[in-house]
Amino acid sequence: MFTHSMRRFFYDPVHETADCVLISGAEAHHLRAVLRMRLGETAELFDGSGRILSGQIEQISPDSVTFRILARRQEPESRSPLTLALAFLKGKKMDMVVQKATELGVHRFLPLVTRYCEPQGKDHQLLDRWQRIMLEACKQCGRPVPMQLSQPLPFQEVAWPADSRKIIAWENETTCSLAALGLEAGNPVVLLIGPEGGFHPTEVEHAKTCGFNTISLGPRILRAETAALTAVVLAQQAVGNLEP
Ligand code: SAM
């Protein structure tokens, strides 16, 4: 019933009844006018909470599509939620990281303002754009629970969660790797990655006082977006979030 190849759409749970769900707006337009799906075709429907419906198109009207619900299931929450805290990067790099972080199962994305970076637009416009990119990525990769997008914050003002393993990638760390931290399944993790110009030494000190461990991502200086995605993969692997 549920397969990786089925088309996926988001729905608003207020439009769900015991038997049917109605899709409207941009999702209905995409389904009807772009993909030209027909009566009787099937798709998976997400509401963003982890609930997944399998449905069959029962009715198509100019501005909505009605699915008959064939099956329901609930995706379990990740046991080891990963937060990626990333200083603002220039151009379209944040967009790219948002997309890839969604695919890689990052739980929460927290954009930061640090000494050597600047926000690349107004918060609400950036968040709207990232929300669209993130939801598209969810549909494409079959992720039923969207990544949380946090409001951008100045680095010094973040209240870091006490119960998480906190890790800062720092190119001047010469000994400790992420693997050496011994992360385990069930550990919530926060990863902190600097901007193109890196962290100021006082920012690294501040992170340490907040309980962050510095790690190296190897002997080469990676671009910030490469560092972010490398650290995400290593952390997700370590806590078991990349298991089949
Ligand atoms: N400060 C440097 C500079 O201006 O040349 C490099 C900054 S680097 C391009 C951007 C961010 O990626 C860093 O702040 C760090 O978080 C991360 N990073 C890059 N290479 C790294 C490495 N080898 N080990 C750990 N972190 C790294």
Side-chain angles (χ1 to χ4, degrees):
M1 189 69 70
F2 294 101
T3 75
H4 277 298
S5 56
M6 254 198 238
R7 301 263 186 207
R8 299 177 177 95
F9 303 95
F10 275 96
Y11 74 95
D12 184 337
V14 300
H15 294 134
E16 180 186 351
T17 66
D19 308 317
C20 292
V21 61
L22 183 128
I23 310 266
S24 57
E27 288 290 80
H29 173 79
H30 185 62
L31 202 156
R32 191 178 49 75
V34 180
L35 299 173
R36 298 185 173 281
M37 290 185 73
R38 298 279 173 250
L39 292 177
E41 286 193 70
T42 54
E44 284 186 358
L45 309 167
F46 300 105
D47 71 351
S49 73
R51 268 159 53 75
I52 308 169
L53 311 180
S54 162
Q56 184 169 38
I57 299 177
E58 191 173 74
Q59 194 182 335
I60 300 179
S61 64
D63 47 29
S64 68
V65 177
T66 304
F67 280 85
R68 173 152 298 278
I69 297 169
L70 303 175
R72 290 177 160 90
R73 76 180 160 102
Q74 179 74 34
E75 189 76 6
E77 279 287 324
S78 168
R79 284 178 54 235
S80 311
L82 173 65
T83 295
L84 174 61
L86 175 63
F88 270 97
L89 307 180
K90 296 196 176 91
K92 299 276 186 216
K93 290 179 199 161
M94 294 297 266
D95 295 5
M96 187 272 282
V97 175
V98 165
Q99 183 193 58
K100 306 299 176 210
T102 306
E103 293 173 37
L104 290 166
V106 169
H107 181 78
R108 175 177 171 227
F109 181 76
L110 170 59
L112 294 179
V113 182
T114 62
R115 187 183 288 220
Y116 297 135
C117 74
E118 305 173 356
Q120 299 290 305
K122 295 201 167 64
D123 285 2
H124 70 277
Q125 288 169 344
L126 291 171
L127 286 170
D128 281 354
R129 191 168 81 232
W130 294 339
Q131 179 80 5
R132 282 198 300 279
I133 291 170
M134 185 275 295
L135 289 177
E136 262 319 299
C138 284
K139 281 166 57 175
Q140 182 272 326
C141 74
R143 174 175 173 162
V145 184
M147 181 169 73
Q148 290 177 20
L149 295 171
S150 296
Q151 197 74 20
L153 280 178
F155 173 53
Q156 309 280 349
E157 290 180 16
V158 181
W160 301 103
D163 63 342
S164 295
R165 300 290 304 267
K166 295 183 269 303
I167 300 167
I168 175 172
W170 187 40
E171 58 282 6
N172 293 334
E173 170 60 51
T174 51
T175 48
C176 187
S177 66
L178 191 140
L181 295 179
L183 297 183
E184 290 173 357
N187 288 153
V189 175
V190 177
L191 284 176
L192 178 54
I193 310 289
E196 287 92 344
F199 288 111
H200 188 271
T202 58
E203 292 176 323
V204 178
E205 284 313 307
H206 174 72
K208 286 183 185 169
T209 62
C210 294
F212 278 83
N213 287 110
T214 52
I215 59 144
S216 167
L217 294 170
R220 294 159 296 276
I221 304 234
L222 307 178
R223 286 181 186 264
E225 64 275 24
T226 314
L229 296 173
T230 304
V232 165
V233 170
L234 292 174
Q236 292 289 60
Q237 174 77 19
V239 298
N241 282 347
L242 299 181
E243 295 301 311

